[in-house]
Amino acid sequence: MAGTPQQGLVIGITGLMGSGKTAAAEYLAAEHGFSHIRYSHVLADWFKEDPERKAELQVVGWDVMSSGQQAELNKRLISKITSGKDWVVEGLRHRLDYDSLKNAFASSFHLIYIDSPQQARWARLQRIARFRTTDEFLAADSHPVEQQIPALRQFAELCITSSDPLQNLYQPLSQFVASLRKGNQ
């Protein structure tokens, strides 16, 4: 069963930076009525950081992860997910993120992994001026906080290889949501 009457669907989205996580989450919110929450925004709220300052959040995220505070981050995120709605959670980075959401929401929780080649991710992030140089991107891409993301792929119920345009993500996302909702009836 995909969800319960008390708890709607909770879909986690993971993938490396620039893979299309935000586009996928925004699509689920706009087209399928999901409420959208991002790990980065919970982290920013917790530490009073600007959620748009990604480099600083990456450092704070690593401090949280490496100091054993990932469980607290998950607790804070989960407390914001209200019952009776469908939710999309963007930005799982750690096995504990997956385990925490799976334990909290059981069969209502489903993980999507978005895969994208490094060159495509760099090109997308260049278009939004996230990094000035390839070296900046490569340094951020190889930061320790990003290194555990690929291991989450094994837990995903749906793996999508993203390509340009990112709208190519939409059909598999819609089919996945339709199948989950059908199984929930």
Side-chain angles (χ1 to χ4, degrees):
M1 188 158 98
T4 66
Q6 302 84 9
Q7 178 58 58
L9 297 171
V10 178
I11 294 179
I13 298 182
T14 189
L16 295 169
M17 67 175 66
S19 62
K21 297 180 303 291
T22 299
E26 289 174 349
Y27 175 77
L28 290 176
E31 295 299 319
H32 294 282
F34 280 74
S35 295
H36 179 193
I37 188 167
R38 297 172 73 169
Y39 269 92
S40 61
H41 286 186
V42 175
L43 191 64
D45 183 54
W46 183 12
F47 289 94
K48 311 297 185 236
E49 295 283 342
D50 179 351
E52 299 309 313
R53 297 187 61 147
K54 306 288 187 189
E56 288 81 2
L57 280 177
Q58 193 178 49
V59 171
V60 171
W62 175 244
D63 289 345
V64 165
M65 191 182 289
S66 64
S67 67
Q69 296 182 74
Q70 197 71 20
E72 177 64 23
L73 175 60
N74 278 286
K75 180 180 166 188
R76 289 170 181 263
L77 181 129
I78 289 167
S79 74
K80 296 178 180 300
I81 297 176
T82 56
S83 62
K85 297 170 134 183
D86 292 333
W87 284 86
V88 59
V89 179
E90 178 188 343
L92 289 81
R93 284 187 158 64
H94 192 279
R95 168 70 189 262
L96 186 57
D97 300 344
Y98 171 81
D99 289 342
S100 296
L101 290 164
K102 193 66 172 172
N103 289 336
F105 302 108
S107 64
S108 295
F109 177 69
H110 307 274
L111 184 64
I112 297 172
Y113 186 91
I114 302 177
D115 194 14
S116 186
Q118 189 177 55
Q119 187 59 39
R121 294 184 298 108
W122 160 239
R124 283 186 201 121
L125 293 170
Q126 260 188 313
R127 286 194 293 268
I128 61 170
R130 170 118 179 247
F131 298 102
R132 290 177 301 206
T133 67
T134 305
D135 288 341
E136 283 180 10
F137 165 72
L138 292 173
D141 200 40
S142 64
H143 191 281
V145 78
E146 305 295 323
Q147 297 309 301
Q148 296 185 36
I149 295 169
L152 293 173
R153 183 183 186 122
Q154 67 184 313
F155 304 107
E157 294 174 48
L158 175 65
C159 293
I160 304 172
T161 300
S162 72
S163 58
D164 285 323
L166 281 175
Q167 289 81 0
N168 291 339
L169 294 170
Y170 299 165
Q171 183 179 5
L173 289 170
S174 288
Q175 289 171 340
F176 187 63
V177 168
S179 77
L180 292 175
R181 286 181 171 159
K182 183 178 179 186
N184 195 28
Q185 294 177 359

PDB file of all heavy atoms in Angstrom, residues 127-155:
ATOM      1  N   ARG A 127      24.243  27.766 -16.196  1.00  0.00           N
ATOM      2  CA  ARG A 127      23.116  28.572 -16.697  1.00  0.00           C
ATOM      3  C   ARG A 127      22.481  29.407 -15.592  1.00  0.00           C
ATOM      4  O   ARG A 127      21.945  30.476 -15.861  1.00  0.00           O
ATOM      5  CB  ARG A 127      22.069  27.692 -17.362  1.00  0.00           C
ATOM      6  CG  ARG A 127      22.488  27.171 -18.721  1.00  0.00           C
ATOM      7  CD  ARG A 127      21.332  26.593 -19.512  1.00  0.00           C
ATOM      8  NE  ARG A 127      20.770  25.394 -18.948  1.00  0.00           N
ATOM      9  CZ  ARG A 127      21.132  24.150 -19.253  1.00  0.00           C
ATOM     10  NH1 ARG A 127      22.098  23.952 -20.132  1.00  0.00           N
ATOM     11  NH2 ARG A 127      20.549  23.117 -18.694  1.00  0.00           N
ATOM     12  N   ILE A 128      22.528  28.915 -14.364  1.00  0.00           N
ATOM     13  CA  ILE A 128      21.946  29.693 -13.264  1.00  0.00           C
ATOM     14  C   ILE A 128      23.023  30.422 -12.466  1.00  0.00           C
ATOM     15  O   ILE A 128      22.753  30.955 -11.393  1.00  0.00           O
ATOM     16  CB  ILE A 128      21.070  28.816 -12.330  1.00  0.00           C
ATOM     17  CG1 ILE A 128      21.894  27.701 -11.685  1.00  0.00           C
ATOM     18  CG2 ILE A 128      19.870  28.276 -13.089  1.00  0.00           C
ATOM     19  CD1 ILE A 128      21.157  26.958 -10.582  1.00  0.00           C
ATOM     20  N   ALA A 129      24.238  30.447 -12.990  1.00  0.00           N
ATOM     21  CA  ALA A 129      25.366  31.176 -12.394  1.00  0.00           C
ATOM     22  C   ALA A 129      25.659  30.740 -10.963  1.00  0.00           C
ATOM     23  O   ALA A 129      26.003  31.555 -10.120  1.00  0.00           O
ATOM     24  CB  ALA A 129      25.127  32.686 -12.479  1.00  0.00           C
ATOM     25  N   ARG A 130      25.524  29.454 -10.705  1.00  0.00           N
ATOM     26  CA  ARG A 130      25.811  28.956  -9.352  1.00  0.00           C
ATOM     27  C   ARG A 130      27.312  28.927  -9.078  1.00  0.00           C
ATOM     28  O   ARG A 130      27.726  29.157  -7.959  1.00  0.00           O
ATOM     29  CB  ARG A 130      25.200  27.569  -9.185  1.00  0.00           C
ATOM     30  CG  ARG A 130      25.616  26.865  -7.939  1.00  0.00           C
ATOM     31  CD  ARG A 130      24.499  26.553  -6.995  1.00  0.00           C
ATOM     32  NE  ARG A 130      25.013  25.858  -5.841  1.00  0.00           N
ATOM     33  CZ  ARG A 130      24.740  24.601  -5.530  1.00  0.00           C
ATOM     34  NH1 ARG A 130      23.910  23.913  -6.275  1.00  0.00           N
ATOM     35  NH2 ARG A 130      25.263  24.058  -4.470  1.00  0.00           N
ATOM     36  N   PHE A 131      28.110  28.636 -10.104  1.00  0.00           N
ATOM     37  CA  PHE A 131      29.562  28.603  -9.953  1.00  0.00           C
ATOM     38  C   PHE A 131      30.190  29.461 -11.041  1.00  0.00           C
ATOM     39  O   PHE A 131      29.709  29.488 -12.180  1.00  0.00           O
ATOM     40  CB  PHE A 131      30.090  27.158 -10.081  1.00  0.00           C
ATOM     41  CG  PHE A 131      29.559  26.249  -9.011  1.00  0.00           C
ATOM     42  CD1 PHE A 131      28.529  25.365  -9.290  1.00  0.00           C
ATOM     43  CD2 PHE A 131      30.079  26.278  -7.728  1.00  0.00           C
ATOM     44  CE1 PHE A 131      28.027  24.528  -8.313  1.00  0.00           C
ATOM     45  CE2 PHE A 131      29.579  25.450  -6.741  1.00  0.00           C
ATOM     46  CZ  PHE A 131      28.551  24.571  -7.030  1.00  0.00           C
ATOM     47  N   ARG A 132      31.275  30.131 -10.688  1.00  0.00           N
ATOM     48  CA  ARG A 132      31.959  30.970 -11.671  1.00  0.00           C
ATOM     49  C   ARG A 132      32.903  30.164 -12.545  1.00  0.00           C
ATOM     50  O   ARG A 132      33.110  30.493 -13.703  1.00  0.00           O
ATOM     51  CB  ARG A 132      32.739  32.075 -10.974  1.00  0.00           C
ATOM     52  CG  ARG A 132      31.844  33.130 -10.328  1.00  0.00           C
ATOM     53  CD  ARG A 132      32.676  34.135  -9.607  1.00  0.00           C
ATOM     54  NE  ARG A 132      33.441  33.409  -8.592  1.00  0.00           N
ATOM     55  CZ  ARG A 132      33.891  33.918  -7.477  1.00  0.00           C
ATOM     56  NH1 ARG A 132      33.732  35.180  -7.226  1.00  0.00           N
ATOM     57  NH2 ARG A 132      34.551  33.179  -6.609  1.00  0.00           N
ATOM     58  N   THR A 133      33.493  29.100 -11.960  1.00  0.00           N
ATOM     59  CA  THR A 133      34.495  28.343 -12.708  1.00  0.00           C
ATOM     60  C   THR A 133      34.238  26.845 -12.573  1.00  0.00           C
ATOM     61  O   THR A 133      33.560  26.397 -11.639  1.00  0.00           O
ATOM     62  CB  THR A 133      35.921  28.631 -12.185  1.00  0.00           C
ATOM     63  OG1 THR A 133      36.040  28.108 -10.863  1.00  0.00           O
ATOM     64  CG2 THR A 133      36.229  30.128 -12.192  1.00  0.00           C
ATOM     65  N   THR A 134      34.824  26.107 -13.490  1.00  0.00           N
ATOM     66  CA  THR A 134      34.755  24.651 -13.414  1.00  0.00           C
ATOM     67  C   THR A 134      35.401  24.153 -12.123  1.00  0.00           C
ATOM     68  O   THR A 134      34.895  23.226 -11.491  1.00  0.00           O
ATOM     69  CB  THR A 134      35.467  24.012 -14.627  1.00  0.00           C
ATOM     70  OG1 THR A 134      34.909  24.549 -15.822  1.00  0.00           O
ATOM     71  CG2 THR A 134      35.326  22.512 -14.641  1.00  0.00           C
ATOM     72  N   ASP A 135      36.496  24.786 -11.724  1.00  0.00           N
ATOM     73  CA  ASP A 135      37.175  24.374 -10.491  1.00  0.00           C
ATOM     74  C   ASP A 135      36.271  24.532  -9.268  1.00  0.00           C
ATOM     75  O   ASP A 135      36.273  23.669  -8.382  1.00  0.00           O
ATOM     76  CB  ASP A 135      38.473  25.152 -10.293  1.00  0.00           C
ATOM     77  CG  ASP A 135      39.562  24.722 -11.268  1.00  0.00           C
ATOM     78  OD1 ASP A 135      39.457  23.618 -11.841  1.00  0.00           O
ATOM     79  OD2 ASP A 135      40.519  25.499 -11.448  1.00  0.00           O
ATOM     80  N   GLU A 136      35.498  25.621  -9.211  1.00  0.00           N
ATOM     81  CA  GLU A 136      34.555  25.807  -8.101  1.00  0.00           C
ATOM     82  C   GLU A 136      33.523  24.685  -8.093  1.00  0.00           C
ATOM     83  O   GLU A 136      33.190  24.136  -7.047  1.00  0.00           O
ATOM     84  CB  GLU A 136      33.840  27.151  -8.204  1.00  0.00           C
ATOM     85  CG  GLU A 136      34.655  28.338  -7.791  1.00  0.00           C
ATOM     86  CD  GLU A 136      33.859  29.633  -7.914  1.00  0.00           C
ATOM     87  OE1 GLU A 136      32.627  29.592  -8.139  1.00  0.00           O
ATOM     88  OE2 GLU A 136      34.486  30.698  -7.771  1.00  0.00           O
ATOM     89  N   PHE A 137      32.991  24.372  -9.275  1.00  0.00           N
ATOM     90  CA  PHE A 137      32.006  23.297  -9.372  1.00  0.00           C
ATOM     91  C   PHE A 137      32.614  21.968  -8.940  1.00  0.00           C
ATOM     92  O   PHE A 137      32.013  21.229  -8.154  1.00  0.00           O
ATOM     93  CB  PHE A 137      31.463  23.193 -10.805  1.00  0.00           C
ATOM     94  CG  PHE A 137      30.727  21.910 -11.073  1.00  0.00           C
ATOM     95  CD1 PHE A 137      29.466  21.682 -10.523  1.00  0.00           C
ATOM     96  CD2 PHE A 137      31.288  20.920 -11.867  1.00  0.00           C
ATOM     97  CE1 PHE A 137      28.788  20.494 -10.755  1.00  0.00           C
ATOM     98  CE2 PHE A 137      30.619  19.734 -12.110  1.00  0.00           C
ATOM     99  CZ  PHE A 137      29.357  19.519 -11.557  1.00  0.00           C
ATOM    100  N   LEU A 138      33.803  21.653  -9.453  1.00  0.00           N
ATOM    101  CA  LEU A 138      34.434  20.370  -9.118  1.00  0.00           C
ATOM    102  C   LEU A 138      34.736  20.265  -7.619  1.00  0.00           C
ATOM    103  O   LEU A 138      34.577  19.197  -7.026  1.00  0.00           O
ATOM    104  CB  LEU A 138      35.705  20.170  -9.942  1.00  0.00           C
ATOM    105  CG  LEU A 138      35.470  19.970 -11.445  1.00  0.00           C
ATOM    106  CD1 LEU A 138      36.800  19.950 -12.196  1.00  0.00           C
ATOM    107  CD2 LEU A 138      34.661  18.722 -11.715  1.00  0.00           C
ATOM    108  N   ALA A 139      35.131  21.375  -7.012  1.00  0.00           N
ATOM    109  CA  ALA A 139      35.392  21.371  -5.566  1.00  0.00           C
ATOM    110  C   ALA A 139      34.093  21.106  -4.800  1.00  0.00           C
ATOM    111  O   ALA A 139      34.064  20.298  -3.866  1.00  0.00           O
ATOM    112  CB  ALA A 139      36.016  22.694  -5.132  1.00  0.00           C
ATOM    113  N   ALA A 140      33.010  21.767  -5.188  1.00  0.00           N
ATOM    114  CA  ALA A 140      31.721  21.557  -4.523  1.00  0.00           C
ATOM    115  C   ALA A 140      31.202  20.146  -4.779  1.00  0.00           C
ATOM    116  O   ALA A 140      30.669  19.491  -3.874  1.00  0.00           O
ATOM    117  CB  ALA A 140      30.710  22.596  -5.001  1.00  0.00           C
ATOM    118  N   ASP A 141      31.379  19.669  -5.994  1.00  0.00           N
ATOM    119  CA  ASP A 141      30.896  18.340  -6.372  1.00  0.00           C
ATOM    120  C   ASP A 141      31.642  17.232  -5.625  1.00  0.00           C
ATOM    121  O   ASP A 141      31.078  16.171  -5.376  1.00  0.00           O
ATOM    122  CB  ASP A 141      31.034  18.159  -7.887  1.00  0.00           C
ATOM    123  CG  ASP A 141      30.150  17.060  -8.442  1.00  0.00           C
ATOM    124  OD1 ASP A 141      28.991  16.942  -7.998  1.00  0.00           O
ATOM    125  OD2 ASP A 141      30.623  16.328  -9.337  1.00  0.00           O
ATOM    126  N   SER A 142      32.879  17.484  -5.253  1.00  0.00           N
ATOM    127  CA  SER A 142      33.661  16.468  -4.552  1.00  0.00           C
ATOM    128  C   SER A 142      33.686  16.689  -3.036  1.00  0.00           C
ATOM    129  O   SER A 142      34.371  15.962  -2.321  1.00  0.00           O
ATOM    130  CB  SER A 142      35.092  16.429  -5.101  1.00  0.00           C
ATOM    131  OG  SER A 142      35.744  17.655  -4.843  1.00  0.00           O
ATOM    132  N   HIS A 143      32.927  17.670  -2.549  1.00  0.00           N
ATOM    133  CA  HIS A 143      32.864  17.939  -1.109  1.00  0.00           C
ATOM    134  C   HIS A 143      32.348  16.691  -0.381  1.00  0.00           C
ATOM    135  O   HIS A 143      31.477  15.986  -0.887  1.00  0.00           O
ATOM    136  CB  HIS A 143      31.934  19.129  -0.846  1.00  0.00           C
ATOM    137  CG  HIS A 143      32.010  19.639   0.545  1.00  0.00           C
ATOM    138  ND1 HIS A 143      31.377  19.033   1.597  1.00  0.00           N
ATOM    139  CD2 HIS A 143      32.673  20.706   1.054  1.00  0.00           C
ATOM    140  CE1 HIS A 143      31.629  19.697   2.705  1.00  0.00           C
ATOM    141  NE2 HIS A 143      32.412  20.719   2.404  1.00  0.00           N
ATOM    142  N   PRO A 144      32.880  16.396   0.809  1.00  0.00           N
ATOM    143  CA  PRO A 144      32.463  15.180   1.525  1.00  0.00           C
ATOM    144  C   PRO A 144      30.954  15.049   1.746  1.00  0.00           C
ATOM    145  O   PRO A 144      30.432  13.939   1.763  1.00  0.00           O
ATOM    146  CB  PRO A 144      33.207  15.283   2.862  1.00  0.00           C
ATOM    147  CG  PRO A 144      34.380  16.152   2.589  1.00  0.00           C
ATOM    148  CD  PRO A 144      33.947  17.108   1.513  1.00  0.00           C
ATOM    149  N   VAL A 145      30.245  16.163   1.912  1.00  0.00           N
ATOM    150  CA  VAL A 145      28.799  16.081   2.154  1.00  0.00           C
ATOM    151  C   VAL A 145      28.054  15.512   0.940  1.00  0.00           C
ATOM    152  O   VAL A 145      26.957  14.973   1.074  1.00  0.00           O
ATOM    153  CB  VAL A 145      28.220  17.450   2.590  1.00  0.00           C
ATOM    154  CG1 VAL A 145      28.041  18.390   1.408  1.00  0.00           C
ATOM    155  CG2 VAL A 145      26.909  17.294   3.340  1.00  0.00           C
ATOM    156  N   GLU A 146      28.663  15.594  -0.233  1.00  0.00           N
ATOM    157  CA  GLU A 146      28.031  15.094  -1.459  1.00  0.00           C
ATOM    158  C   GLU A 146      28.360  13.633  -1.736  1.00  0.00           C
ATOM    159  O   GLU A 146      27.708  12.996  -2.560  1.00  0.00           O
ATOM    160  CB  GLU A 146      28.484  15.935  -2.663  1.00  0.00           C
ATOM    161  CG  GLU A 146      28.270  17.424  -2.537  1.00  0.00           C
ATOM    162  CD  GLU A 146      26.820  17.845  -2.475  1.00  0.00           C
ATOM    163  OE1 GLU A 146      25.984  17.236  -3.173  1.00  0.00           O
ATOM    164  OE2 GLU A 146      26.514  18.781  -1.714  1.00  0.00           O
ATOM    165  N   GLN A 147      29.357  13.075  -1.072  1.00  0.00           N
ATOM    166  CA  GLN A 147      29.910  11.780  -1.458  1.00  0.00           C
ATOM    167  C   GLN A 147      29.033  10.569  -1.147  1.00  0.00           C
ATOM    168  O   GLN A 147      29.214   9.513  -1.735  1.00  0.00           O
ATOM    169  CB  GLN A 147      31.295  11.599  -0.839  1.00  0.00           C
ATOM    170  CG  GLN A 147      32.301  12.621  -1.340  1.00  0.00           C
ATOM    171  CD  GLN A 147      32.347  12.718  -2.843  1.00  0.00           C
ATOM    172  OE1 GLN A 147      32.625  11.733  -3.518  1.00  0.00           O
ATOM    173  NE2 GLN A 147      32.059  13.883  -3.391  1.00  0.00           N
ATOM    174  N   GLN A 148      28.099  10.706  -0.236  1.00  0.00           N
ATOM    175  CA  GLN A 148      27.266   9.557   0.118  1.00  0.00           C
ATOM    176  C   GLN A 148      25.992   9.468  -0.721  1.00  0.00           C
ATOM    177  O   GLN A 148      25.264   8.478  -0.639  1.00  0.00           O
ATOM    178  CB  GLN A 148      26.929   9.611   1.603  1.00  0.00           C
ATOM    179  CG  GLN A 148      28.178   9.467   2.447  1.00  0.00           C
ATOM    180  CD  GLN A 148      27.862   9.388   3.919  1.00  0.00           C
ATOM    181  OE1 GLN A 148      26.867   8.816   4.317  1.00  0.00           O
ATOM    182  NE2 GLN A 148      28.728   9.961   4.733  1.00  0.00           N
ATOM    183  N   ILE A 149      25.727  10.477  -1.509  1.00  0.00           N
ATOM    184  CA  ILE A 149      24.494  10.506  -2.304  1.00  0.00           C
ATOM    185  C   ILE A 149      24.381   9.299  -3.240  1.00  0.00           C
ATOM    186  O   ILE A 149      23.318   8.655  -3.278  1.00  0.00           O
ATOM    187  CB  ILE A 149      24.358  11.841  -3.062  1.00  0.00           C
ATOM    188  CG1 ILE A 149      24.193  12.993  -2.061  1.00  0.00           C
ATOM    189  CG2 ILE A 149      23.194  11.800  -4.052  1.00  0.00           C
ATOM    190  CD1 ILE A 149      24.307  14.375  -2.664  1.00  0.00           C
ATOM    191  N   PRO A 150      25.404   8.954  -4.021  1.00  0.00           N
ATOM    192  CA  PRO A 150      25.244   7.815  -4.943  1.00  0.00           C
ATOM    193  C   PRO A 150      24.855   6.503  -4.265  1.00  0.00           C
ATOM    194  O   PRO A 150      24.182   5.664  -4.874  1.00  0.00           O
ATOM    195  CB  PRO A 150      26.612   7.720  -5.629  1.00  0.00           C
ATOM    196  CG  PRO A 150      27.142   9.120  -5.580  1.00  0.00           C
ATOM    197  CD  PRO A 150      26.690   9.644  -4.241  1.00  0.00           C
ATOM    198  N   ALA A 151      25.221   6.318  -3.008  1.00  0.00           N
ATOM    199  CA  ALA A 151      24.866   5.081  -2.300  1.00  0.00           C
ATOM    200  C   ALA A 151      23.363   4.979  -2.046  1.00  0.00           C
ATOM    201  O   ALA A 151      22.853   3.880  -1.793  1.00  0.00           O
ATOM    202  CB  ALA A 151      25.626   5.003  -0.978  1.00  0.00           C
ATOM    203  N   LEU A 152      22.647   6.092  -2.132  1.00  0.00           N
ATOM    204  CA  LEU A 152      21.200   6.061  -1.926  1.00  0.00           C
ATOM    205  C   LEU A 152      20.456   5.460  -3.125  1.00  0.00           C
ATOM    206  O   LEU A 152      19.301   5.056  -2.994  1.00  0.00           O
ATOM    207  CB  LEU A 152      20.668   7.470  -1.637  1.00  0.00           C
ATOM    208  CG  LEU A 152      21.124   8.067  -0.312  1.00  0.00           C
ATOM    209  CD1 LEU A 152      20.687   9.521  -0.212  1.00  0.00           C
ATOM    210  CD2 LEU A 152      20.605   7.257   0.851  1.00  0.00           C
ATOM    211  N   ARG A 153      21.111   5.390  -4.246  1.00  0.00           N
ATOM    212  CA  ARG A 153      20.471   4.865  -5.460  1.00  0.00           C
ATOM    213  C   ARG A 153      19.889   3.465  -5.230  1.00  0.00           C
ATOM    214  O   ARG A 153      18.815   3.144  -5.739  1.00  0.00           O
ATOM    215  CB  ARG A 153      21.478   4.847  -6.603  1.00  0.00           C
ATOM    216  CG  ARG A 153      20.884   4.385  -7.907  1.00  0.00           C
ATOM    217  CD  ARG A 153      21.928   4.298  -9.007  1.00  0.00           C
ATOM    218  NE  ARG A 153      21.251   3.997 -10.246  1.00  0.00           N
ATOM    219  CZ  ARG A 153      21.304   4.733 -11.320  1.00  0.00           C
ATOM    220  NH1 ARG A 153      22.027   5.822 -11.348  1.00  0.00           N
ATOM    221  NH2 ARG A 153      20.643   4.383 -12.400  1.00  0.00           N
ATOM    222  N   GLN A 154      20.574   2.647  -4.455  1.00  0.00           N
ATOM    223  CA  GLN A 154      20.124   1.272  -4.231  1.00  0.00           C
ATOM    224  C   GLN A 154      18.764   1.199  -3.531  1.00  0.00           C
ATOM    225  O   GLN A 154      18.084   0.183  -3.603  1.00  0.00           O
ATOM    226  CB  GLN A 154      21.165   0.503  -3.422  1.00  0.00           C
ATOM    227  CG  GLN A 154      21.331   1.012  -1.994  1.00  0.00           C
ATOM    228  CD  GLN A 154      22.417   0.305  -1.245  1.00  0.00           C
ATOM    229  OE1 GLN A 154      22.492  -0.912  -1.274  1.00  0.00           O
ATOM    230  NE2 GLN A 154      23.286   1.072  -0.575  1.00  0.00           N
ATOM    231  N   PHE A 155      18.343   2.263  -2.866  1.00  0.00           N
ATOM    232  CA  PHE A 155      17.072   2.269  -2.147  1.00  0.00           C
ATOM    233  C   PHE A 155      15.941   2.894  -2.957  1.00  0.00           C
ATOM    234  O   PHE A 155      14.783   2.875  -2.536  1.00  0.00           O
ATOM    235  CB  PHE A 155      17.215   3.024  -0.823  1.00  0.00           C
ATOM    236  CG  PHE A 155      18.302   2.469   0.038  1.00  0.00           C
ATOM    237  CD1 PHE A 155      19.490   3.158   0.212  1.00  0.00           C
ATOM    238  CD2 PHE A 155      18.159   1.231   0.653  1.00  0.00           C
ATOM    239  CE1 PHE A 155      20.514   2.639   0.996  1.00  0.00           C
ATOM    240  CE2 PHE A 155      19.174   0.693   1.427  1.00  0.00           C
ATOM    241  CZ  PHE A 155      20.347   1.397   1.597  1.00  0.00           C
TER     242      PHE A 155
END
